[in-house]
Amino acid sequence: MSTFSAKRIRSTLLCLDKEENTDEKRIDIPFVDNEPFRKMLIRQIEYATLMIMQKICSGEFPNVFAPSNYDKIESLEYENDVNESDGKSLEFDEIESIVNTTDSMDFCRKRSKNKLALMMKVMAMSHRLLITNTTITRRSFYYDLKNDVAGILVPTQKYIDLAVYDVAELLDCAPWDLGLIATSKGLVAGNLTLYFTDNQIIDCNVPGGALIPQIISNIISIRAKAKFVLIVEKDSIFQKLLEENTMDLLSCILITGKGYPDIGTRMLIKLLSEKLDIPIYIIVDADPFGMDIMCVYRFGSSTLSKRNDSLACPKIRWLGIHPSELSVLGVKTSLLSERDLSKLTSINSRHYMTETLLRQTRIMRRGKAEIEAVSSFCRNFLTATYISRKIKGNDYI
């Protein structure tokens, strides 16, 4: 460790010692019986299936509304795939343009018939899962179908993902209510323990962090000892902060969604924000997609706009990396691509954008930079200098 870093860390610890000691909190969460809701969904699936079968038997086309435009799927990557050039998941970036496009089912077309058949498959599986009160990952369901005669319906898993959204829209429920859940990918590390209804216990104070489960609603108790929660955009930075021992030095809980976050990660952050009553900070790349990821955490996504009350966390504070500080820090920037500019235009048009946020997007047009451009100044720079000083100076948006 360099002399500079050692002195900076000791200085940080002295500042923290002057503040109040962090008390351990144990929060019990009332158990919510989901049986009435499950029974209602089961009845809805049975009724929808009956109506569709009656239409078909009477020689009529089923009147099914499905918002997803499957014609656009061919060029997309799987939900949790990552573009190695920027380390960002494509879950929200492309799927929003599909789910938010109304697609009328023309049953003269083979694609529409396949779409309805896949929706029926999803409803059948969901019906079984709801009756048994169990879950299955969409990935597992995808492979089950691929090895079945229905394999022609799912060239890629994206078809499953969108069919789940369509069925949820048809039944007016959240996608995760159907029992077909995404594969967990978010990580959490720090002095945090989660207790579940099935007696499962997740201790997050483990090497490499703990995988965030998809079913957050099953948590009945939380034990935590932290001054704040810090969300970082990418796994590489999450692992770097683990190496710097950030959780102990700054007494915080670290979380990453590894790019665009999954539902479980967003729900956990929402839960911690409401129950622990401690600040939630986020650090993302100073580029359009980093800012978009911050917006998904803070304001929600248009894909799940009806469920943003359960997912969005408006208390999140954008700690960095701010485009306005790049020149001050002496960070070398790169030009925005056409894809970056398109994303930036989309962000600027959103109703929640304030003048403070718009100022950052205007500055961002001059150039972008990744978190690594700041973290590489010296060893432990993020923990010893950047994060601690910005929090102490209330330098966040």
Side-chain angles (χ1 to χ4, degrees):
M1 182 183 296
S2 68
T3 303
F4 175 81
S5 296
K7 288 181 178 179
R8 181 64 63 196
I9 290 175
R10 283 196 293 271
S11 174
T12 299
L13 289 173
L14 286 173
C15 290
L16 291 174
D17 287 341
K18 293 178 182 178
E19 300 175 4
E20 283 187 25
N21 291 329
T22 306
D23 295 326
E24 182 174 290
K25 296 181 180 180
R26 175 70 182 256
I27 310 294
D28 292 326
I29 302 169
F31 172 72
V32 178
D33 185 8
N34 71 342
E35 186 174 357
F37 181 69
R38 284 194 298 110
K39 288 183 176 179
M40 182 191 71
L41 271 184
I42 290 169
R43 289 195 300 270
Q44 283 183 279
I45 291 173
E46 291 170 349
Y47 178 77
T49 303
L50 179 62
M51 292 299 101
I52 292 172
M53 290 177 66
Q54 285 181 344
K55 286 279 188 179
I56 294 174
C57 290
S58 63
E60 299 178 45
F61 291 135
N63 185 21
V64 179
F65 168 77
S68 301
N69 189 342
Y70 283 46
D71 289 333
K72 296 184 180 180
I73 297 180
E74 304 297 341
S75 63
L76 299 187
E77 299 180 46
Y78 163 57
E79 173 186 15
N80 287 332
D81 281 350
V82 172
N83 184 332
E84 293 181 358
S85 65
D86 57 18
K88 295 176 175 63
S89 162
L90 302 176
E91 178 176 2
F92 287 101
D93 181 24
E94 286 90 350
I95 203 172
E96 284 187 355
S97 65
I98 301 175
V99 174
N100 296 324
T101 304
T102 301
D103 183 28
S104 58
M105 280 195 175
D106 179 3
F107 288 96
C108 293
R109 300 168 60 207
K110 180 181 178 181
R111 189 179 293 273
S112 289
K113 294 173 184 175
N114 287 351
K115 182 175 181 178
L116 176 61
L118 182 54
M119 288 177 65
M120 297 295 286
K121 278 283 188 181
V122 167
M123 284 196 287
M125 174 55 75
S126 180
H127 186 263
R128 184 190 312 170
L129 295 170
L130 289 167
I131 288 175
T132 57
N133 197 20
T134 55
T135 61
I136 186 176
T137 65
R138 297 179 203 167
R139 191 67 169 167
S140 177
F141 182 49
Y142 165 70
Y143 282 118
D144 287 345
L145 290 184
K146 286 295 286 185
N147 296 325
D148 189 71
V149 291
I152 192 174
L153 302 176
V154 285
T156 66
Q157 190 194 321
K158 186 66 69 176
Y159 285 76
I160 295 286
D161 298 332
L162 294 179
V164 169
Y165 278 94
D166 287 339
V167 171
E169 185 74 21
L170 180 67
L171 301 176
D172 193 24
C173 68
W176 54 88
D177 290 332
L178 299 173
L180 288 154
I181 59 176
T183 304
S184 298
K185 65 168 185 167
L187 294 173
V188 54
N191 200 336
L192 174 71
T193 306
L194 307 174
Y195 300 85
F196 294 79
T197 54
D198 59 358
N199 295 321
Q200 179 189 11
I201 299 175
I202 296 181
D203 181 3
C204 303
N205 198 14
V206 294
L211 198 62
I212 298 173
Q214 287 293 320
I215 311 298
I216 299 299
S217 58
N218 288 345
I219 295 177
I220 57 172
S221 187
I222 300 171
R223 184 197 60 75
K225 187 176 182 180
K227 285 185 169 67
F228 60 90
V229 174
L230 178 63
I231 307 164
V232 291
E233 175 188 339
K234 296 181 288 192
D235 183 48
S236 59
I237 298 299
F238 179 84
Q239 299 300 330
K240 181 176 180 61
L241 293 178
L242 289 183
E243 292 174 4
E244 294 182 12
N245 199 23
T246 304
M247 304 93 64
D248 292 336
L249 289 173
L250 301 184
S251 186
C252 68
I253 296 168
L254 286 179
I255 295 178
T256 181
K258 297 182 179 179
Y260 282 94
D262 59 8
I263 299 301
T265 302
R266 295 170 67 187
M267 281 187 165
L268 178 62
I269 291 168
K270 177 79 169 180
L271 183 68
L272 296 179
S273 173
E274 292 178 341
K275 301 300 181 182
L276 295 185
D277 192 29
I278 57 177
I280 313 284
Y281 299 102
I282 186 168
I283 293 180
V284 295
D285 288 341
D287 65 15
F289 288 90
M291 189 172 189
D292 191 38
I293 288 170
M294 181 275 294
C295 290
V296 168
Y297 279 112
R298 185 166 168 177
F299 304 110
S301 66
S302 60
T303 305
L304 294 170
S305 57
K306 292 183 179 180
R307 312 296 163 188
N308 279 340
D309 286 346
S310 304
L311 300 172
C313 186
K315 293 181 181 179
I316 286 178
R317 302 169 178 180
W318 183 17
L319 194 65
I321 306 295
H322 300 153
S324 58
E325 64 189 3
L326 294 178
S327 60
V328 177
L329 291 170
V331 175
K332 185 178 180 180
T333 61
S334 55
L335 296 176
L336 272 64
S337 66
E338 288 298 321
R339 189 163 174 249
D340 289 326
L341 293 170
S342 176
K343 175 58 68 177
L344 203 58
T345 300
S346 170
I347 293 172
N348 285 336
S349 66
R350 297 172 190 172
H351 66 89
Y352 53 70
M353 291 295 289
T354 63
E355 179 53 37
T356 303
L357 292 173
L358 289 171
R359 175 176 174 269
Q360 295 298 322
T361 63
R362 287 195 292 269
I363 297 173
M364 193 183 292
R365 289 186 177 275
R366 303 172 191 167
K368 62 181 181 178
E370 296 187 349
I371 304 171
E372 287 84 352
V374 175
S375 67
S376 61
F377 284 160
C378 66
R379 189 176 178 185
N380 299 318
F381 181 78
L382 284 177
T383 300
T385 304
Y386 187 82
I387 296 170
S388 54
R389 285 197 169 187
K390 294 205 72 176
I391 290 177
K392 192 171 181 62
N394 294 321
D395 186 9
Y396 56 80
I397 296 175

